[in-house]
Amino acid sequence: MSSAIRLTAGAGVVALGLLLPGTPATAAPSHTVKITVMASSDIHGNALNWDYYKNAEYDDSAHNDVGLAKISTMVSKIRADRGADHTLLFDSGDTLQGTPLDYYYAKVEPITSTGQVHPMAKAMNAIGYDAVTLGNHEFNYGLPLLGAWVGQMKAPVLGANAVSAKTGLPAYRPYVIKTMKVKGEKPIKVGVLGLTNPGVAIWDKANVDGKLRFLDLVETAKKWVPVIRGLGADVVLVTAHAGDNGLSSYGSDLPVENAAAMVAEQVPGVDAVLFGHAHNDVPQRFVTNKVTGQQVLLTEPSKWGQRLSVVDFTLTKERGKWTVTGKSSTTLNTNTVAEDPKIVALLKESHDKTVGYVNKVIAQSTQELSAAESPYKDTPILDYIQKVQTDLVGKAIAGTADASLPVLSIAAPFSRTAVFPAGPVSVRDMAGLYVYDNTLLGIKLNGAQIKDFLEYSAKYFAQVAPGAPIDLGTLTNAGGTPDYNYDQLSGVTYDIDISKPVGQRIVGLSYQGKPVTADQQFVVAINNYRQSGGGGFPHVSTAPVVYNAQVEIRQALIEYAAASGTIDPATFAQANWKLVRDGVPVFEK
């Protein structure tokens, strides 16, 4: 889209009828202009309305749809109704990771080797984004792939708080100013500041350490918003890949993770914050700026292209200057429109290659293995992950000073819907079990640290008195703890007493039938997200690292299955933990 956008003063914006009920379809006064800003976020590789793990059109219990092809149709409709010159389109990050489509063009046919245009760049270029902001997952596949994608994007890619570790200068474009020409009037300038998530320093340490630093969102905005205003911006937006609750999933060593509302509260001169990262549907939220008393609008469009944020601004000419005098927003459900056939056709080859890849059979399973009960029972399907991780780390430390140490392994129930069917198991079956692009490490912990780790993990369960009914709907996810932050440990045996308070739940922690002692040494196979501090688990981020070959766990699972050709739980399933209340098992099996 051209950076110069023509607007007719007094034309106003006609209501989108079906899409935005209640908007008056009347012309605005001659000194007033209305503009519309649209925003997507957290697309996570969902280009089309397709579930690669189920090999079918995407659907969930709420009948949401996903994908940029849906976004494209909605954007086109709004442009047609508003006038394309009345609108801008932005994205708040997390584009390059999340589906096998992204994985395929990062690892199977990497764009860094083939020179092909990334399918997400193809789609976003065709839709006509005006700017996109870096999410934390943009860094998952390394800086070379990210750099290639940035070079392929027609829209500027923003990230003001990602700076060079050597120079301190912005490593990516901090902001962009879009100019809207108004017939017979002074043009309207819309400034957009892009902020990414400081957690990248933890979550992708191996890719960015020593190369990039990630600064505080509020302080970065305080630096750049006056610059943008000084360049004549009449409207200032922040696109932030950060949730709005002011909390972090890590400790206090890094700037706040979910700082979108903090930016609105603490930085003067911001009209609206278009945010992402938390995957919530926030149609409209107002926050009062503590300095100016002004109301700052926030909106978040859920995830995966399920929603599109639509923000309407009214600008009034006052003393020769455009001033924002009204603003409102909503989120539109993309399940109300069809996919844009142009985007579907554009991505057909990429989509078909990905479908072929994920449906490739890699092994035969002797029986069906399900992850449905994995959050509260020791299941064979998670034991498969533990087996592969333990073997890899065990072989890696053979012949080293740590070769005699027992190797334990941690794994979390990433998916409750994953299944290995009896018979052929495909890449997508394996990818459905291990949905993140984590790499494997080995660290050293002692018995006391193992106990602390397990106690921290066990806060995932609600406290339930002996004899009280067990409600599976409330048993897990206590305190909002997600499934991916409940780690199970293999190689030792233990019970989790859910009748006890948090911190006093791990009972009978033993290795080979003997109680684990406080100073006993172990090597633990662990993923990079957890080892680098994700989830805030104790001890792991400072523990000695004995193995880090950057092996992707999901690919290791696939290769392990393909090498043996058979997945037989008799060779790896081992029930080593269970839930109890005063020593009585919660479940019979």
Side-chain angles (χ1 to χ4, degrees), residues 91-102:
D91 183 87
S92 297
D94 274 6
T95 300
L96 293 182
Q97 179 278 337
T99 66
L101 178 75
D102 272 340

Side-chain angles (χ1 to χ4, degrees), residues 244-470:
D244 63 343
N245 65 11
L247 304 176
S248 299
S249 64
Y250 42 75
S252 58
D253 293 343
L254 288 178
V256 174
E257 175 184 355
N258 294 302
M262 294 168 64
V263 170
E265 285 179 346
Q266 299 176 34
V267 182
V270 175
D271 293 299
V273 180
L274 315 172
F275 70 101
H277 186 58
H279 291 195
N280 293 325
D281 183 5
V282 182
Q284 178 177 274
R285 177 187 174 193
F286 284 99
V287 170
T288 302
N289 185 272
K290 293 179 179 178
V291 180
T292 65
Q294 297 295 312
Q295 294 294 294
V296 183
L297 185 152
L298 288 86
T299 181
E300 181 182 23
S302 188
K303 61 181 180 181
W304 305 349
Q306 294 179 356
R307 303 289 187 275
L308 180 72
S309 285
V310 180
V311 187
D312 289 314
F313 291 100
T314 301
L315 287 94
T316 303
K317 191 82 167 293
E318 296 177 352
R319 297 176 186 175
K321 182 181 178 182
W322 292 110
T323 302
V324 175
T325 53
K327 51 192 169 186
S328 63
S329 65
T330 190
T331 52
L332 305 180
N333 196 325
T334 58
N335 69 7
T336 61
V337 298
E339 289 188 296
D340 184 341
K342 295 193 296 295
I343 303 300
V344 173
L346 183 67
L347 298 184
K348 185 179 188 307
E349 181 181 356
S350 302
H351 173 70
D352 288 348
K353 281 185 176 181
T354 306
V355 169
Y357 167 72
V358 299
N359 284 288
K360 179 182 176 182
V361 173
I362 52 174
Q364 301 285 324
S365 180
T366 60
Q367 64 188 78
E368 180 179 287
L369 303 178
S370 170
E373 296 181 328
S374 292
Y376 48 88
K377 290 184 181 181
D378 187 339
T379 55
I381 198 167
L382 251 65
D383 285 345
Y384 183 74
I385 299 173
Q386 308 279 36
K387 169 67 172 174
V388 174
Q389 293 183 161
T390 300
D391 281 7
L392 271 172
V393 172
K395 289 176 182 176
I397 65 172
T400 72
D402 301 305
S404 62
L405 296 182
V407 179
L408 314 181
S409 173
I410 65 110
F414 290 156
S415 169
R416 298 190 183 206
T417 59
V419 174
F420 289 173
V425 175
S426 66
V427 168
R428 70 180 170 88
D429 295 324
M430 199 66 71
L433 172 65
Y434 207 98
V435 298
Y436 297 109
D437 299 306
N438 294 333
T439 58
L440 184 65
L441 294 92
I443 60 174
K444 285 171 70 172
L445 295 175
N446 63 34
Q449 292 170 325
I450 293 287
K451 174 77 157 44
D452 287 347
F453 183 97
L454 289 173
E455 290 285 9
Y456 182 89
S457 188
K459 70 185 178 68
Y460 170 77
F461 295 104
Q463 188 172 356
V464 187
I470 294 293

Side-chain angles (χ1 to χ4, degrees), residues 40-58:
S40 57
S41 188
D42 296 270
I43 298 296
H44 282 287
N46 288 280
L48 305 180
N49 187 40
W50 190 258
D51 188 331
Y52 290 99
Y53 301 129
K54 294 181 179 177
N55 206 34
E57 182 177 311
Y58 181 88

